[in-house]
Amino acid sequence: MRVSDLGHPGEFLDLFGGRDFELYGHQEEAIEDFRSGHNVLLSVPTAAGKTLVAYSAILDTFARGMKSIYIVPLKALASEKFDEMKRLRSLGMRVSISVGDYDSPPSVIRENDVVVMTGEKADSFLHHDPDVFQDVGLIVADEVHLIGERKRGPVLENVLTGARLVNPDLRVVALSATVSNYGEIAKWLGARSVVSDFRPVKLRRGIYYRGRIIYDDQSIENLPKGNDLWGLVWKFVSGGGQVLIFVNSRRRAEETARVLADASSRETEIDEDYDDDGMYQEDLFDLMRKGVAYHHAGLSLEQRALIEKMFRERQLDVIVATPTLAAGVNLPARAVIVRDTTRFTDGHTEYIPSIEVQQMLGRAGRPGYDTQGYAIIFATTPAGYDRARAYLTGETEPVVSSFGDPERVRFNCLALVSSRLANTLEKIEAYYSSTLYSLQSGIERVRPIIPAALDFLEREGFIREWDDGYRPTQFGKEVSDLYIDPESAVVLREYLAGTTSVDRALLAISLTRDMQTLRYFESEVDTLWSFLEECSYRSYDDTALKAAKTALVLRDWIEEVPMRQICNTYAIGPGDVQSCASSAEWMAYSLWKLSTIIKRESAHEHQVLYRRISEGVREDILALTVIRGVGRVRARRLKMAGLDTVEKVASAGIDKIATIPGFSTRLAADTIRNASIILRRMGT
Ligand SMILES: Nc1ncnc2c1ncn2[C@@H]1O[C@H](COP(=O)(O)OP(=O)(O)OP(=O)(O)O)[C@@H](O)[C@H]1O
């Protein structure tokens, strides 16, 4: 069967470069199963054509007058997928993206035919207005194997459970990497599983050990003696290939990248006028000019995006990354080298799960560039060699649901009551009996946890029992709509009950379960203790110290301390500051919304705090940061030049702004134009 035999409009071919190619067997089977009315679980390697199956199902659903939701695990993947799926507009579909702002109404689904979103966003719609799923004909769940991840897994599991409860006719196409218990997941989804190990680019897998590669077929390739890792990398780079190396820490990524750059003779120009006052700038750019980069969560989002872009454009030969890259954007290479198979987690060293190693190795072999991909595990000891063999020959761990975790049950019980999907103990138990967790562990495992969760929610004032079952209180409804953990809401409410201040608010935000807090150093403990004392916080345990450090970083962020200085003071990267500010932004937004219910007189100060965290500025230049392209650094420079309002910026001359550091003539003109647009919108 060819693509054109699918019966889709001619423009469908354009989505795949206009090539009317023969479908792979697993594509044909999956599409036929879908068209015969089945849900489908498609479990095939990376780049084996899952997207085509998803698009075909979306088109079939559109032809039925129904909407589709495409769920991905990460915001970065949502943007990437949305960029790709915008092309569906050529087929007459309205395509949009929805991430973040978890309390926004689901109008985006009603106003579009296809919406790309994160699992959290889809789940927040279930909290808000589950009926919107009546109009949804299809959910495409990408990377569905992540349902086994402790944090994000229960979110996706709840969406796939709740949406099908609301709309039993809703279809599911689940896309998965290779998982051992695909049958169990398919059974839960009422889906036909289509499984294949087909890869368009053949994969040669092997172990690098003592100067030689021992491949799966037991053939051996000896490499030049001496520089072991570079020798391995050079084998691929010298042939025009690119290499991804996965290591288990940021420091190792930076050190390994430096060693490789020293051995590289490549000279790459970096044509970005990169205005980042964060760390890593010079060091990273020096390496990138040699065709090598490191990639980890300490880098700013902009730095990571630049590295990925340059790698895709083949301006870089090698990226040395921590596993954050593996789970994130799609970045194939001719060779993938897993340098470390252990990592340090929660105070102990553990082997990386096989499913993650397979995900990394699966990125080897770039369709259209490489005739063959190389997936190499690096071993340095006999035990490491044995472990590497186990990775290559054994099965991946099964995907196991953690939907029954008590804190998840509390979160979901509030959502079920708040959305009225299930508001009695019996209905909630019935809901849980239709989850993957119950299929795998049995409803009796979660049965005792549900009453305890309902007791907590009632005791803390989130729900109240009426004769027809539980109903949310105003506080409970607001917390559920905000999509924050009930325990986080209790922390914020306790803060609001006392004397409010910026420091105390930042500490309260940092103490919530939803916050990603920072590790601290022994040398920082006195400073952290002093901060806790100033906030009259009477605990000095590890959680409090981590929260104190996070609050201090946030305080510097909103006091406009330069990014580089924050990074140096706390020995963190700009990416850490950004992820702190990003997760704090939603908590500060939630604190502001809760203050309008609990302590209305403090609502304004908390709205200002939310906006200061969002922009990283003091209050006096908040107005300027609404101008597109004007961030915390440029806003302050405009103010220092006497342009402290949008009106003054809009009426300033290009020359005046162009003389301000950080403003090129082009940027000055753009800034004036963007300021004028705001004034027009405000009707002034
Ligand atoms: N049957 C086919 N024959 C030839 N090329 C195909 C076929 N199906 C898809 N392709 C092409 O292969 C490339 C990878 O396909 P696609 O992106 O759909 O894979 P994928 O499984 O979605 O990748 P990922 O696992 O990264 O999501 C695309 O360029 C696509 O156009």
Side-chain angles (χ1 to χ4, degrees), residues 224-257:
K225 293 280 178 252
N227 42 11
D228 54 4
L229 186 60
W230 176 247
L232 181 57
V233 167
W234 182 247
K235 161 185 162 56
F236 302 113
V237 168
S238 58
Q242 294 172 288
V243 181
L244 280 179
I245 303 174
F246 289 105
V247 295
N248 62 6
S249 76
R250 299 181 182 184
R251 180 180 304 285
R252 272 172 77 83
E254 295 168 24
E255 288 164 356
T256 305

mmCIF file of all heavy atoms in Angstrom, residues 224-257:
data_model
loop_
_atom_site.group_PDB
_atom_site.id
_atom_site.type_symbol
_atom_site.label_atom_id
_atom_site.label_comp_id
_atom_site.label_asym_id
_atom_site.label_seq_id
_atom_site.Cartn_x
_atom_site.Cartn_y
_atom_site.Cartn_z
ATOM 1 N N PRO A 224 42.612 2.578 16.825
ATOM 2 C CA PRO A 224 44.003 2.994 17.078
ATOM 3 C C PRO A 224 44.238 3.133 18.595
ATOM 4 O O PRO A 224 43.361 3.610 19.320
ATOM 5 C CB PRO A 224 44.101 4.347 16.369
ATOM 6 C CG PRO A 224 42.977 4.388 15.395
ATOM 7 C CD PRO A 224 41.909 3.508 15.950
ATOM 8 N N LYS A 225 45.362 2.735 19.033
ATOM 9 C CA LYS A 225 45.709 2.813 20.460
ATOM 10 C C LYS A 225 45.748 4.283 20.903
ATOM 11 O O LYS A 225 45.821 5.206 20.078
ATOM 12 C CB LYS A 225 47.103 2.196 20.677
ATOM 13 C CG LYS A 225 47.102 0.688 20.419
ATOM 14 C CD LYS A 225 46.550 -0.068 21.612
ATOM 15 C CE LYS A 225 46.498 -1.562 21.361
ATOM 16 N NZ LYS A 225 45.097 -2.042 21.167
ATOM 17 N N GLY A 226 45.705 4.482 22.206
ATOM 18 C CA GLY A 226 45.954 5.840 22.717
ATOM 19 C C GLY A 226 44.684 6.504 23.185
ATOM 20 O O GLY A 226 44.090 6.123 24.163
ATOM 21 N N ASN A 227 44.226 7.497 22.377
ATOM 22 C CA ASN A 227 43.128 8.325 22.926
ATOM 23 C C ASN A 227 41.802 7.598 22.760
ATOM 24 O O ASN A 227 41.152 7.686 21.737
ATOM 25 C CB ASN A 227 43.092 9.665 22.203
ATOM 26 C CG ASN A 227 43.310 9.445 20.701
ATOM 27 O OD1 ASN A 227 43.271 8.299 20.233
ATOM 28 N ND2 ASN A 227 43.532 10.524 19.980
ATOM 29 N N ASP A 228 41.371 6.874 23.781
ATOM 30 C CA ASP A 228 40.266 5.941 23.607
ATOM 31 C C ASP A 228 38.967 6.613 23.176
ATOM 32 O O ASP A 228 38.448 6.298 22.099
ATOM 33 C CB ASP A 228 40.059 5.119 24.869
ATOM 34 C CG ASP A 228 39.882 6.009 26.103
ATOM 35 O OD1 ASP A 228 39.851 7.246 25.904
ATOM 36 O OD2 ASP A 228 39.777 5.467 27.198
ATOM 37 N N LEU A 229 38.425 7.529 23.938
ATOM 38 C CA LEU A 229 37.111 8.064 23.558
ATOM 39 C C LEU A 229 37.213 8.842 22.244
ATOM 40 O O LEU A 229 36.401 8.677 21.338
ATOM 41 C CB LEU A 229 36.542 8.961 24.662
ATOM 42 C CG LEU A 229 35.117 9.444 24.392
ATOM 43 C CD1 LEU A 229 34.151 8.257 24.252
ATOM 44 C CD2 LEU A 229 34.640 10.368 25.504
ATOM 45 N N TRP A 230 38.292 9.650 22.094
ATOM 46 C CA TRP A 230 38.394 10.429 20.853
ATOM 47 C C TRP A 230 38.597 9.476 19.670
ATOM 48 O O TRP A 230 38.029 9.665 18.613
ATOM 49 C CB TRP A 230 39.517 11.448 20.928
ATOM 50 C CG TRP A 230 39.679 12.175 19.639
ATOM 51 C CD1 TRP A 230 40.728 12.105 18.783
ATOM 52 C CD2 TRP A 230 38.711 13.040 19.020
ATOM 53 N NE1 TRP A 230 40.505 12.888 17.674
ATOM 54 C CE2 TRP A 230 39.265 13.469 17.789
ATOM 55 C CE3 TRP A 230 37.444 13.500 19.355
ATOM 56 C CZ2 TRP A 230 38.607 14.326 16.923
ATOM 57 C CZ3 TRP A 230 36.778 14.355 18.494
ATOM 58 C CH2 TRP A 230 37.358 14.763 17.296
ATOM 59 N N GLY A 231 39.328 8.427 19.906
ATOM 60 C CA GLY A 231 39.547 7.468 18.819
ATOM 61 C C GLY A 231 38.218 6.898 18.360
ATOM 62 O O GLY A 231 37.948 6.781 17.159
ATOM 63 N N LEU A 232 37.340 6.631 19.327
ATOM 64 C CA LEU A 232 36.022 6.077 18.987
ATOM 65 C C LEU A 232 35.196 7.141 18.268
ATOM 66 O O LEU A 232 34.588 6.889 17.228
ATOM 67 C CB LEU A 232 35.322 5.647 20.277
ATOM 68 C CG LEU A 232 33.938 5.027 20.161
ATOM 69 C CD1 LEU A 232 33.955 3.812 19.261
ATOM 70 C CD2 LEU A 232 33.429 4.655 21.559
ATOM 71 N N VAL A 233 35.222 8.355 18.788
ATOM 72 C CA VAL A 233 34.445 9.445 18.175
ATOM 73 C C VAL A 233 34.971 9.725 16.767
ATOM 74 O O VAL A 233 34.219 9.863 15.805
ATOM 75 C CB VAL A 233 34.537 10.716 19.048
ATOM 76 C CG1 VAL A 233 34.023 11.949 18.309
ATOM 77 C CG2 VAL A 233 33.752 10.524 20.346
ATOM 78 N N TRP A 234 36.313 9.758 16.636
ATOM 79 C CA TRP A 234 36.909 10.121 15.346
ATOM 80 C C TRP A 234 36.521 9.122 14.257
ATOM 81 O O TRP A 234 36.339 9.496 13.100
ATOM 82 C CB TRP A 234 38.434 10.237 15.478
ATOM 83 C CG TRP A 234 39.097 10.660 14.217
ATOM 84 C CD1 TRP A 234 39.931 9.945 13.429
ATOM 85 C CD2 TRP A 234 38.903 11.919 13.549
ATOM 86 N NE1 TRP A 234 40.293 10.656 12.331
ATOM 87 C CE2 TRP A 234 39.691 11.892 12.370
ATOM 88 C CE3 TRP A 234 38.164 13.072 13.839
ATOM 89 C CZ2 TRP A 234 39.740 12.962 11.487
ATOM 90 C CZ3 TRP A 234 38.229 14.135 12.961
ATOM 91 C CH2 TRP A 234 39.010 14.070 11.796
ATOM 92 N N LYS A 235 36.332 7.887 14.650
ATOM 93 C CA LYS A 235 35.946 6.851 13.666
ATOM 94 C C LYS A 235 34.691 7.284 12.927
ATOM 95 O O LYS A 235 34.538 7.091 11.725
ATOM 96 C CB LYS A 235 35.698 5.530 14.394
ATOM 97 C CG LYS A 235 34.887 4.504 13.638
ATOM 98 C CD LYS A 235 34.593 3.272 14.463
ATOM 99 C CE LYS A 235 33.448 2.483 13.865
ATOM 100 N NZ LYS A 235 33.668 2.098 12.460
ATOM 101 N N PHE A 236 33.765 7.955 13.649
ATOM 102 C CA PHE A 236 32.494 8.353 13.033
ATOM 103 C C PHE A 236 32.581 9.750 12.422
ATOM 104 O O PHE A 236 32.120 10.012 11.321
ATOM 105 C CB PHE A 236 31.375 8.295 14.080
ATOM 106 C CG PHE A 236 31.223 6.939 14.707
ATOM 107 C CD1 PHE A 236 31.517 6.736 16.052
ATOM 108 C CD2 PHE A 236 30.845 5.849 13.935
ATOM 109 C CE1 PHE A 236 31.390 5.476 16.625
ATOM 110 C CE2 PHE A 236 30.727 4.580 14.499
ATOM 111 C CZ PHE A 236 31.002 4.393 15.848
ATOM 112 N N VAL A 237 33.228 10.649 13.151
ATOM 113 C CA VAL A 237 33.297 12.045 12.677
ATOM 114 C C VAL A 237 34.115 12.119 11.392
ATOM 115 O O VAL A 237 33.757 12.820 10.441
ATOM 116 C CB VAL A 237 33.910 12.947 13.780
ATOM 117 C CG1 VAL A 237 34.261 14.320 13.237
ATOM 118 C CG2 VAL A 237 32.939 13.070 14.948
ATOM 119 N N SER A 238 35.198 11.345 11.344
ATOM 120 C CA SER A 238 36.055 11.410 10.141
ATOM 121 C C SER A 238 35.293 10.910 8.916
ATOM 122 O O SER A 238 35.595 11.284 7.780
ATOM 123 C CB SER A 238 37.302 10.538 10.350
ATOM 124 O OG SER A 238 36.894 9.209 10.629
ATOM 125 N N GLY A 239 34.222 10.104 9.159
ATOM 126 C CA GLY A 239 33.415 9.633 8.026
ATOM 127 C C GLY A 239 32.252 10.568 7.723
ATOM 128 O O GLY A 239 31.326 10.212 6.981
ATOM 129 N N GLY A 240 32.252 11.762 8.344
ATOM 130 C CA GLY A 240 31.175 12.736 8.061
ATOM 131 C C GLY A 240 29.956 12.549 8.934
ATOM 132 O O GLY A 240 28.914 13.150 8.723
ATOM 133 N N GLY A 241 30.098 11.675 9.944
ATOM 134 C CA GLY A 241 28.941 11.453 10.837
ATOM 135 C C GLY A 241 28.997 12.366 12.041
ATOM 136 O O GLY A 241 30.002 13.037 12.290
ATOM 137 N N GLN A 242 27.885 12.393 12.792
ATOM 138 C CA GLN A 242 27.859 13.149 14.042
ATOM 139 C C GLN A 242 27.695 12.158 15.187
ATOM 140 O O GLN A 242 27.256 11.027 14.991
ATOM 141 C CB GLN A 242 26.673 14.121 14.035
ATOM 142 C CG GLN A 242 26.800 15.228 12.991
ATOM 143 C CD GLN A 242 25.524 16.032 12.889
ATOM 144 O OE1 GLN A 242 24.518 15.549 12.370
ATOM 145 N NE2 GLN A 242 25.549 17.249 13.416
ATOM 146 N N VAL A 243 28.062 12.611 16.371
ATOM 147 C CA VAL A 243 28.074 11.696 17.516
ATOM 148 C C VAL A 243 27.370 12.335 18.717
ATOM 149 O O VAL A 243 27.565 13.517 19.008
ATOM 150 C CB VAL A 243 29.523 11.342 17.919
ATOM 151 C CG1 VAL A 243 29.533 10.376 19.105
ATOM 152 C CG2 VAL A 243 30.253 10.719 16.729
ATOM 153 N N LEU A 244 26.527 11.552 19.383
ATOM 154 C CA LEU A 244 25.935 11.941 20.674
ATOM 155 C C LEU A 244 26.573 11.064 21.734
ATOM 156 O O LEU A 244 26.634 9.843 21.571
ATOM 157 C CB LEU A 244 24.419 11.657 20.682
ATOM 158 C CG LEU A 244 23.477 12.640 20.013
ATOM 159 C CD1 LEU A 244 22.046 12.136 20.132
ATOM 160 C CD2 LEU A 244 23.597 14.018 20.618
ATOM 161 N N ILE A 245 27.084 11.697 22.781
ATOM 162 C CA ILE A 245 27.664 10.927 23.892
ATOM 163 C C ILE A 245 26.852 11.240 25.145
ATOM 164 O O ILE A 245 26.647 12.422 25.467
ATOM 165 C CB ILE A 245 29.138 11.320 24.127
ATOM 166 C CG1 ILE A 245 29.962 11.105 22.845
ATOM 167 C CG2 ILE A 245 29.744 10.508 25.279
ATOM 168 C CD1 ILE A 245 31.387 11.608 22.940
ATOM 169 N N PHE A 246 26.370 10.206 25.810
ATOM 170 C CA PHE A 246 25.589 10.403 27.038
ATOM 171 C C PHE A 246 26.442 10.053 28.248
ATOM 172 O O PHE A 246 27.021 8.974 28.323
ATOM 173 C CB PHE A 246 24.319 9.543 27.011
ATOM 174 C CG PHE A 246 23.305 10.031 26.033
ATOM 175 C CD1 PHE A 246 23.093 9.369 24.826
ATOM 176 C CD2 PHE A 246 22.566 11.178 26.290
ATOM 177 C CE1 PHE A 246 22.166 9.833 23.905
ATOM 178 C CE2 PHE A 246 21.631 11.650 25.377
ATOM 179 C CZ PHE A 246 21.435 10.986 24.179
ATOM 180 N N VAL A 247 26.512 11.009 29.171
ATOM 181 C CA VAL A 247 27.264 10.800 30.419
ATOM 182 C C VAL A 247 26.316 11.062 31.582
ATOM 183 O O VAL A 247 25.178 11.501 31.383
ATOM 184 C CB VAL A 247 28.484 11.749 30.494
ATOM 185 C CG1 VAL A 247 29.489 11.433 29.393
ATOM 186 C CG2 VAL A 247 28.040 13.203 30.413
ATOM 187 N N ASN A 248 26.817 10.807 32.808
ATOM 188 C CA ASN A 248 25.854 10.818 33.921
ATOM 189 C C ASN A 248 25.938 12.040 34.808
ATOM 190 O O ASN A 248 25.325 12.087 35.879
ATOM 191 C CB ASN A 248 26.036 9.556 34.786
ATOM 192 C CG ASN A 248 27.431 9.500 35.407
ATOM 193 O OD1 ASN A 248 28.211 10.453 35.276
ATOM 194 N ND2 ASN A 248 27.741 8.399 36.053
ATOM 195 N N SER A 249 26.702 13.048 34.390
ATOM 196 C CA SER A 249 26.683 14.273 35.212
ATOM 197 C C SER A 249 27.087 15.473 34.364
ATOM 198 O O SER A 249 27.732 15.324 33.315
ATOM 199 C CB SER A 249 27.660 14.141 36.389
ATOM 200 O OG SER A 249 28.994 14.306 35.909
ATOM 201 N N ARG A 250 26.721 16.652 34.826
ATOM 202 C CA ARG A 250 27.046 17.883 34.117
ATOM 203 C C ARG A 250 28.558 18.051 34.021
ATOM 204 O O ARG A 250 29.094 18.377 32.966
ATOM 205 C CB ARG A 250 26.471 19.097 34.865
ATOM 206 C CG ARG A 250 24.985 19.090 34.991
ATOM 207 C CD ARG A 250 24.525 20.330 35.711
ATOM 208 N NE ARG A 250 23.077 20.325 35.900
ATOM 209 C CZ ARG A 250 22.410 21.329 36.428
ATOM 210 N NH1 ARG A 250 23.064 22.407 36.842
ATOM 211 N NH2 ARG A 250 21.112 21.281 36.584
ATOM 212 N N ARG A 251 29.215 17.786 35.157
ATOM 213 C CA ARG A 251 30.677 17.986 35.175
ATOM 214 C C ARG A 251 31.349 17.077 34.158
ATOM 215 O O ARG A 251 32.195 17.491 33.390
ATOM 216 C CB ARG A 251 31.239 17.715 36.585
ATOM 217 C CG ARG A 251 32.755 17.897 36.710
ATOM 218 C CD ARG A 251 33.244 17.616 38.122
ATOM 219 N NE ARG A 251 32.541 18.455 39.120
ATOM 220 C CZ ARG A 251 32.783 19.759 39.299
ATOM 221 N NH1 ARG A 251 33.678 20.346 38.524
ATOM 222 N NH2 ARG A 251 32.146 20.456 40.212
ATOM 223 N N ARG A 252 30.900 15.835 34.094
ATOM 224 C CA ARG A 252 31.505 14.904 33.136
ATOM 225 C C ARG A 252 31.208 15.351 31.715
ATOM 226 O O ARG A 252 32.052 15.241 30.817
ATOM 227 C CB ARG A 252 30.996 13.478 33.358
ATOM 228 C CG ARG A 252 31.835 12.738 34.378
ATOM 229 C CD ARG A 252 31.234 11.423 34.723
ATOM 230 N NE ARG A 252 31.445 10.403 33.704
ATOM 231 C CZ ARG A 252 32.541 9.669 33.595
ATOM 232 N NH1 ARG A 252 33.551 9.912 34.396
ATOM 233 N NH2 ARG A 252 32.659 8.737 32.680
ATOM 234 N N ALA A 253 30.017 15.908 31.499
ATOM 235 C CA ALA A 253 29.696 16.396 30.152
ATOM 236 C C ALA A 253 30.663 17.510 29.770
ATOM 237 O O ALA A 253 31.228 17.512 28.664
ATOM 238 C CB ALA A 253 28.257 16.913 30.126
ATOM 239 N N GLU A 254 30.901 18.446 30.675
ATOM 240 C CA GLU A 254 31.807 19.555 30.381
ATOM 241 C C GLU A 254 33.243 19.072 30.212
ATOM 242 O O GLU A 254 33.919 19.437 29.248
ATOM 243 C CB GLU A 254 31.703 20.593 31.505
ATOM 244 C CG GLU A 254 30.317 21.254 31.573
ATOM 245 C CD GLU A 254 30.102 22.048 32.842
ATOM 246 O OE1 GLU A 254 31.095 22.479 33.448
ATOM 247 O OE2 GLU A 254 28.941 22.228 33.240
ATOM 248 N N GLU A 255 33.692 18.203 31.110
ATOM 249 C CA GLU A 255 35.084 17.699 31.033
ATOM 250 C C GLU A 255 35.308 16.892 29.750
ATOM 251 O O GLU A 255 36.275 17.094 29.026
ATOM 252 C CB GLU A 255 35.403 16.836 32.249
ATOM 253 C CG GLU A 255 35.558 17.622 33.542
ATOM 254 C CD GLU A 255 35.498 16.721 34.789
ATOM 255 O OE1 GLU A 255 35.263 15.488 34.623
ATOM 256 O OE2 GLU A 255 35.653 17.246 35.908
ATOM 257 N N THR A 256 34.355 16.021 29.444
ATOM 258 C CA THR A 256 34.505 15.177 28.248
ATOM 259 C C THR A 256 34.503 16.040 26.994
ATOM 260 O O THR A 256 35.299 15.836 26.079
ATOM 261 C CB THR A 256 33.353 14.157 28.193
ATOM 262 O OG1 THR A 256 33.328 13.421 29.411
ATOM 263 C CG2 THR A 256 33.520 13.199 27.020
ATOM 264 N N ALA A 257 33.646 17.061 26.973
ATOM 265 C CA ALA A 257 33.582 17.946 25.804
ATOM 266 C C ALA A 257 34.904 18.680 25.629
ATOM 267 O O ALA A 257 35.413 18.825 24.508
ATOM 268 C CB ALA A 257 32.439 18.947 25.965
#
